[in-house]
């Protein structure tokens, strides 16, 4: 069993800054867990504590049930891949990949055999005699991967390994890393600030903010059922639309965004309105795919329990298979998706609706209000 457990892990740096607060999580054998969050939220600190490169202030770290807090990094059986590759410039690809074995004074023949096998696995067999400076970014990152896997570690730790690569290569390497991890069956923790990487690579995602775990769940759960406004806004592209405001005291079926702007009116669903009336201020969240430009719809949709508002289109982005329509309400630019052949254009006044069941409600602390309506 190559599982990993973190129990109430906290990191306070020497300057008393708390980078990680009370993190408890488990990574199952063979699982690929992604730690995601904005820059500075403590992802690397957490990963480095798992690797043993940073001391743990309080809490316990277990590998397969064995407490690891005081075990030296070299004895932890982890393979680590960094954003900046950390290759030795004066060594060849072959020597870089074999480095973890040569410092352990493994037999030359055996090193050669394992380097050959590893290089084949990561598609570097033809580049073994090159130096890092003679390689592309993607090839360098493959060398770093090779060096991490040559000892067949029990755990893979990745710290933003794709951040220095161009967009196309990042997509390719995402697939390669996952394929390799699956093939070797190694338990992995992967740090990134990129929500797309998190969504596409993770079996589960842990979202971190200010050193505190906000939610740990599968990509589908995180997207469709975020615990709070921060997670809802961090995951998903285009970003979820958020309407912050209160119910109109003069009209019980109207919501007013930000005291002055967009008015959202409700049709049907009295209990839902009652729920919202009971809250002083709240935020309605709706993903772009759930906002519907009503003029484009058949009238049958009008009969559902809907929320609707009027908006002026600021711009339309044609992205091939669909178009993204940006419009402004009280607070910010919001977005809805529509068909690629939609006639909607900048300057148009449109009516937008969405179903109550496709909306999320967050209270004034940002926590999701779960009800059977949403
Ligand atoms: P992330 O990987 O999410 O970008 P880090 O784990 O690198 O975040 O850093 C988390 C926070 O801890 C940041 O605010 C950072 O400035 C701070 N930090 C990192 N290393 C140190 C250190 N050695 N001493 C003090 N503060 C640090």
């Amino acid at each position: 069993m190559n599982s990993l457990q973190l129990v109430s892990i906290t990191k306070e740096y020497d300057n008393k800054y708390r980078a990680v607060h009370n993190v408890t999580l488990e990574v199952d054998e063979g699982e690929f867990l992604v730690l995601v969050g904005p820059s500075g939220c403590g992802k690397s600190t957490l990963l480095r504590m798992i690797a043993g490169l940073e001391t743990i202030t309080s809490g316990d770290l277990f590998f397969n049930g064995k407490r690891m807090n005081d075990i030296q990094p070299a004895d932890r059986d982890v393979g680590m891949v960094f954003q900046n590759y950390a290759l030795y410039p004066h060594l060849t690809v072959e020597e870089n990949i074999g480095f973890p074995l040569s410092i352990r004074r493994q037999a030359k023949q055996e090193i050669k055999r394992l380097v050959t096998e590893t290089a084949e696995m990561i598609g570097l067999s033809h580049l073994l005699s090159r130096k890092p400076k003679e390689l592309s970014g993607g090839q360098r990152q493959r060398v770093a991967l090779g060096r991490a896997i040559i000892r067949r570690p029990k755990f893979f730790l990745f710290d933003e390994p794709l951040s220095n690569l161009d967009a196309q290569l990042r997509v390719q390497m995402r697939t390669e890393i996952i394929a390799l991890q699956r093939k070797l069956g190694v338990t992995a923790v992967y740090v990134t600030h990129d929500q797309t990487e998190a969504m596409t690579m993770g079996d589960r995602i842990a979202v971190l903010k200010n050193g505190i775990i906000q939610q740990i769940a599968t990509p589908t759960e995180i997207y469709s059922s975020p615990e709070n406004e921060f997670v809802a806004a961090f995951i998903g592209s285009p970003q979820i639309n958020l309407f912050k405001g209160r119910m109109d005291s003069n009209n019980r079926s109207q919501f007013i965004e930000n005291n002055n702007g967009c008015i959202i009116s409700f049709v049907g669903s009295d209990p839902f309105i009652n729920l919202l009336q009971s809250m002083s201020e709240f935020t309605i969240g709706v993903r772009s795919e759930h906002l519907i430009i009503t003029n484009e719809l058949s009238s049958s949709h009008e009969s559902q329990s809907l929320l609707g508002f009027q908006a002026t289109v600021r711009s339309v982005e044609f992205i091939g298979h669909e178009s993204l329509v940006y419009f402004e309400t009280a607070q910010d630019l919001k977005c809805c998706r529509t068909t690629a052949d939609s006639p909607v254009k900048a300057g148009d006044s449109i009516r937008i609706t969405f179903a109550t069941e496709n909306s999320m409600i967050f209270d004034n602390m940002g926590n999701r209000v779960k009800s059977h309506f949403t």
Side-chain angles (χ1 to χ4, degrees):
M1 279 283 290
N2 294 326
S3 64
L4 215 155
Q5 291 93 26
L6 280 67
V7 182
S8 301
I9 297 255
T10 291
K11 173 67 186 183
E12 198 173 281
Y13 281 110
D14 291 344
N15 61 1
K16 299 284 172 219
Y17 184 77
R18 273 205 172 189
V20 172
H21 299 250
N22 213 15
V23 165
T24 294
L25 62 85
E26 249 182 86
V27 192
D28 295 332
E29 167 148 14
E31 188 179 23
F32 198 103
L33 181 94
V34 178
L35 280 177
V36 70
S39 177
C41 72
K43 308 177 294 288
S44 297
T45 302
L46 198 51
L47 196 76
R48 290 168 62 80
M49 285 192 282
I50 299 172
L53 303 174
E54 207 66 74
T55 57
I56 295 171
T57 309
S58 65
D60 299 302
L61 171 72
F62 298 98
F63 288 4
N64 305 321
K66 182 176 176 223
R67 192 171 182 277
M68 301 300 286
N69 292 46
D70 306 316
I71 307 289
Q72 288 300 308
D75 300 324
R76 292 195 182 197
D77 213 356
V78 301
M80 195 153 173
V81 183
F82 302 91
Q83 174 179 350
N84 62 7
Y85 321 125
L87 302 178
Y88 296 104
H90 58 288
L91 300 183
T92 62
V93 168
E94 178 170 3
E95 290 160 343
N96 265 291
I97 295 177
F99 190 78
L101 305 182
S102 49
I103 52 164
R104 285 175 174 78
R105 311 219 170 278
Q106 216 149 314
K108 281 211 169 60
Q109 282 275 288
E110 181 63 0
I111 296 178
K112 186 138 192 98
R113 186 183 71 77
L114 288 168
V115 169
T116 307
E117 190 184 294
T118 305
E120 223 160 86
M121 215 182 288
I122 51 176
L124 282 180
S125 305
H126 58 302
L127 299 173
L128 285 176
S129 55
R130 294 223 188 144
K131 296 271 176 65
K133 68 173 189 300
E134 298 160 336
L135 301 174
S136 69
Q139 290 165 341
R140 282 179 210 171
Q141 198 49 290
R142 279 203 188 95
V143 177
L145 262 177
R147 193 183 49 189
I149 64 176
I150 194 157
R151 286 178 55 226
R152 295 288 184 276
K154 292 199 173 77
F155 302 97
F156 274 162
L157 303 178
F158 297 94
D159 196 353
E160 305 252 7
L162 307 184
S163 296
N164 286 349
L165 306 180
D166 65 48
Q168 202 178 351
L169 198 54
R170 271 211 303 271
V171 174
Q172 187 186 333
M173 290 297 284
R174 285 202 308 243
T175 315
E176 285 187 25
I177 287 176
I178 291 292
L180 198 60
Q181 184 261 349
R182 294 271 184 273
K183 182 172 176 177
L184 300 173
V186 184
T187 308
V189 181
Y190 186 104
V191 159
T192 180
H193 65 275
D194 178 342
Q195 64 89 28
T196 310
E197 256 173 46
M199 289 291 279
T200 52
M201 298 180 79
D203 290 321
R204 283 188 307 151
I205 300 173
V207 182
L208 208 62
K209 178 193 173 195
N210 296 338
I212 300 169
I213 297 272
Q214 306 293 304
Q215 186 169 5
I216 308 176
T218 63
T220 323
E221 281 172 307
I222 290 258
Y223 186 78
S224 58
S225 196
E227 282 291 322
N228 59 38
E229 202 177 312
F230 175 82
V231 174
F234 193 78
I235 301 287
S237 175
Q239 210 180 53
I240 192 169
N241 299 294
L242 296 169
F243 301 84
K244 188 180 175 69
R246 57 179 173 77
M247 294 306 278
D248 186 347
S249 50
N250 299 316
N251 181 342
R252 61 171 267 106
S253 60
Q254 276 192 359
F255 166 89
I256 304 181
E257 187 189 19
N258 216 15
N259 288 328
N260 55 12
C262 172
I263 292 179
I264 301 181
S265 43
F266 294 70
V267 181
S269 191
D270 243 17
F272 181 63
I273 295 174
N274 290 343
L275 168 77
L276 299 184
Q277 288 285 0
S278 71
M279 302 165 69
S280 58
E281 210 182 46
F282 58 92
T283 299
I284 303 176
V286 202
R287 297 221 179 261
S288 56
E289 60 272 31
H290 292 136
L291 288 181
I292 300 157
I293 301 173
T294 322
N295 341 13
E296 296 184 336
L297 273 182
S298 67
S299 56
S300 64
H301 285 75
E302 295 280 11
S303 59
Q304 288 180 6
S305 178
L306 292 175
L307 296 84
F309 59 95
Q310 204 71 30
T312 303
V313 176
R314 291 280 168 252
S315 64
V316 180
E317 276 180 10
F318 169 71
I319 54 169
H321 64 295
E322 63 178 3
S323 287
L324 302 176
V325 175
Y326 291 92
F327 56 93
E328 210 168 315
T329 63
Q331 280 157 313
D332 47 15
L333 212 55
K334 297 185 171 66
C335 176
C336 74
R337 293 169 192 265
T338 188
T339 52
D341 60 356
S342 162
V344 171
K345 57 184 187 314
D348 284 358
S349 176
I350 52 171
R351 181 160 180 78
I352 297 175
T353 53
F354 55 100
T356 47
E357 73 225 36
N358 288 329
S359 63
M360 301 175 197
I361 306 296
F362 304 98
D363 66 18
N364 55 10
M365 301 293 288
N367 293 316
R368 174 111 175 269
V369 179
K370 290 178 186 155
S371 76
H372 59 278
F373 310 114
T374 59

